[in-house]
Amino acid sequence: MEFDFSYQFSPEEMPPPQKKRIGLFGSTGSIGKQTLDVVRSNPDLFSISILTAYSNHEMLIEQALAFMPAVVVITDTSRYKAVHEALSGKGIKVMAGEAALEEAASMDCYDLMMAAIVGFAGLKPTLSAIEAGKTIALANKETLVVAGDVVMKRAAEKGISIIPVDSEHSAIFQCLVGEENNPIEKIILTASGGPFVGKKPNYLVNVKREHAIAHPNWSMGAKISIDSSTLMNKGLEMIEAKWLFNLQPNQIEVVIHPQSIIHSMVQFQDNSIKAQMGLPDMKLPIQYAMAYPRRIKSDFPRFNFTKSHQLTFDPPDIKTFRNLGLAMTALHKGGNLPCILNAANELAVFGFLRNRLGFLDMTEVIEQTMNNTPFIAEPTLQEYLDSDGEARNFAASLINL
Ligand code: NAD
Ligand code: MG
């Protein structure tokens, strides 16, 4: 049989890509700043149309003057005046408050949302962008943990692509390109294990904020750094993967791989395993999601196989890192339990970051909140929002916030 390759373009013949206009939600964070680095390195491919920040108005102003977006949003309304004054006469619309995020997300001025807000706060703007028909590059994993069924269903109905930015999910997504008709047997999410890999509870009980926040391989925002140190991050990622790739809980495995070179793997029905590899650098999954389906050149440092590297793999210790076990319970039970887990975890991390809770106390707060917030098997969006509120109130009462 002869194959017809005539449809293929040579690189010179490839049609020039259209410049994508990026709506960057959470521009002052770790993912946000790295997204701007990617835009800065590829001015022919990307421009910035929206920038948003919670309260860091100085950085937001600086970013706005450098990238000249159509719109900026500052969530903390007390900073509106400062932003408005600094950007007056520049042709940039300045908005403030939580509702302004949703309003901006529904605007015509951009094509692709980089969803880089941290936590539950990212859910509503992302839903608003889906309604407006935007492509979503999703860094904010909590959106899928809280209401993954609602988000994926609405995206499917609107014919919208959700392209993962989380490095593990980007790895799986990249392994699945060209495999659309081949069922997945299972996926293997790799975890660095965080700064306390191999440690036991008698060590963890004394861990302080400064230890937990310093991740060995990745430089990230405060919340995800703590989640990585407790392994909750991997639990949230299991739930994220379930929705992104339409998997059953028993198709999702976790393996500790401290070098963070293999970013995750897919095993197919013929027992072939595909892995996506590289040095740990979030700019790669960020730019992959922004440029998809193309790959664009980068000057990031290359992995060298001939240098002495060891790639090691171990099972996770869920007896010590109980947060991962709790997330697995939520993954298997489903309903609003992942939403409750997420809300309790956000508060517990908040409490730990402010030295109100010890490292191991975070697990107690999450477990008790899961046991004391009413379970709903098939929640509506409103019920997810209500469960989040109830779980937050309960967790806050335990922490004395
Ligand atoms: P970060 O804390 O560094 O930044 C968060 C951004 O969201 C900031 O711009 C902040 O102003 C904004 N924000 C915070 N709270 C807000 C609120 N209530 N309302 C509106 N805006 C708010 O966080 P990050 O590390 O960049 O992570 C962002 C998201 O990406 C998280 O969901 C995280 O799990 C995910 N993620 C991050 C990394 C990483 O390497 N940093 C990797 C994978 C996934
Ligand atoms: Mg990740």
Side-chain angles (χ1 to χ4, degrees), residues 80-93:
Y80 171 77
K81 197 164 166 265
V83 180
H84 186 257
E85 276 171 12
L87 300 181
S88 78
K90 303 283 179 197
I92 300 173
K93 185 176 166 68

Side-chain angles (χ1 to χ4, degrees), residues 305-322:
F305 279 90
T306 62
K307 289 213 173 124
S308 67
H309 290 291
Q310 278 204 324
L311 302 186
T312 60
F313 305 93
D314 288 296
D317 174 2
I318 58 173
K319 280 207 177 113
T320 302
F321 294 91
R322 289 181 54 226

Side-chain angles (χ1 to χ4, degrees), residues 373-385:
T373 311
F375 179 71
I376 306 172
E378 288 180 20
T380 60
L381 176 60
Q382 190 54 50
E383 285 170 327
Y384 279 125
L385 302 179

Side-chain angles (χ1 to χ4, degrees), residues 141 165-169 190 218 220 224 233-234 237 240 282:
K141 63 192 79 184
V165 170
D166 213 349
S167 60
E168 297 76 3
H169 306 75
T190 52
W218 305 93
M220 308 180 287
I224 185 176
N233 184 49
K234 214 45 57 178
E237 290 183 356
E240 179 185 13
M282 278 309 294

Side-chain angles (χ1 to χ4, degrees), residues 40-336:
R40 210 177 275 112
S41 304
N42 298 279
D44 299 341
L45 298 180
F46 307 114
S47 64
I48 290 289
S49 294
I50 301 177
L51 293 171
T52 86
Y54 183 69
S55 59
N56 189 344
H57 66 281
E58 279 127 351
M59 191 185 293
L60 182 67
I61 291 165
E62 208 177 285
Q63 292 176 338
L65 293 173
F67 288 90
M68 296 304 285
V71 176
V72 302
V73 180
I74 182 88
T75 308
D76 179 348
T77 47
S78 70
R79 318 285 171 110
Y80 171 77
K81 197 164 166 265
V83 180
H84 186 257
E85 276 171 12
L87 300 181
S88 78
K90 303 283 179 197
I92 300 173
K93 185 176 166 68
V94 179
M95 304 187 338
E98 243 173 68
L101 289 173
E102 286 171 76
E103 193 185 334
S106 69
M107 286 179 167
D108 289 335
C109 63
Y110 77 110
D111 309 306
L112 177 140
M113 168 188 264
M114 174 58 71
I117 289 176
V118 61
F120 175 85
L123 173 64
K124 285 188 184 170
T126 304
L127 281 171
S128 171
I130 292 172
E131 290 307 319
K134 311 295 181 180
T135 303
I136 313 285
L138 188 70
N140 176 265
K141 63 192 79 184
E142 294 90 348
T143 285
L144 291 182
V145 174
V146 171
D149 54 345
V150 173
V151 172
M152 295 309 287
K153 183 163 174 265
R154 203 59 198 129
E157 285 164 358
K158 298 286 286 183
I160 280 159
S161 305
I162 298 199
I163 308 166
V165 170
D166 213 349
S167 60
E168 297 76 3
H169 306 75
S170 173
I172 291 162
F173 188 90
Q174 293 181 52
C175 291
L176 290 175
V177 170
E179 303 280 5
E180 288 71 19
N181 296 318
N182 292 322
I184 297 170
E185 191 167 270
K186 68 175 183 184
I187 62 165
I188 301 132
L189 295 176
T190 52
S192 70
F196 308 130
V197 66
K199 300 290 191 217
K200 295 292 172 197
N202 60 353
Y203 176 94
L204 296 175
V205 71
N206 295 319
V207 153
K208 295 277 172 281
R209 181 188 194 275
E210 303 70 53
H211 308 136
I213 222 163
H215 195 277
N217 301 345
W218 305 93
S219 157
M220 308 180 287
K223 194 241 171 197
I224 185 176
S225 297
I226 302 303
D227 284 346
S228 299
S229 75
T230 62
L231 293 198
M232 177 58 91
N233 184 49
K234 214 45 57 178
L236 300 179
E237 290 183 356
M238 292 177 84
I239 300 166
E240 179 185 13
K242 169 188 156 150
W243 295 119
L244 276 172
F245 305 115
N246 194 20
L247 299 170
Q248 295 302 314
N250 60 7
Q251 290 177 289
I252 307 167
E253 273 182 22
V254 169
V255 65
I256 303 292
H257 167 48
Q259 299 81 15
S260 300
I261 298 298
I262 294 187
H263 300 314
S264 279
M265 299 176 256
V266 181
Q267 182 171 311
F268 294 94
Q269 287 186 328
D270 61 356
N271 201 21
S272 181
I273 299 174
K274 280 169 92 171
Q276 188 266 342
M277 305 172 69
L279 292 171
D281 182 345
M282 278 309 294
K283 282 214 266 299
L284 179 56
I286 289 171
Q287 85 162 34
Y288 181 83
M290 286 165 65
Y292 179 79
R294 289 170 187 259
R295 288 185 183 274
I296 53 180
K297 270 192 184 165
S298 83
D299 56 4
F300 311 151
R302 268 49 179 164
F303 181 71
N304 183 344
F305 279 90
T306 62
K307 289 213 173 124
S308 67
H309 290 291
Q310 278 204 324
L311 302 186
T312 60
F313 305 93
D314 288 296
D317 174 2
I318 58 173
K319 280 207 177 113
T320 302
F321 294 91
R322 289 181 54 226
N323 281 8
L324 178 56
L326 291 175
M328 286 174 174
T329 303
L331 167 73
H332 282 266
K333 198 156 176 209
N336 64 342

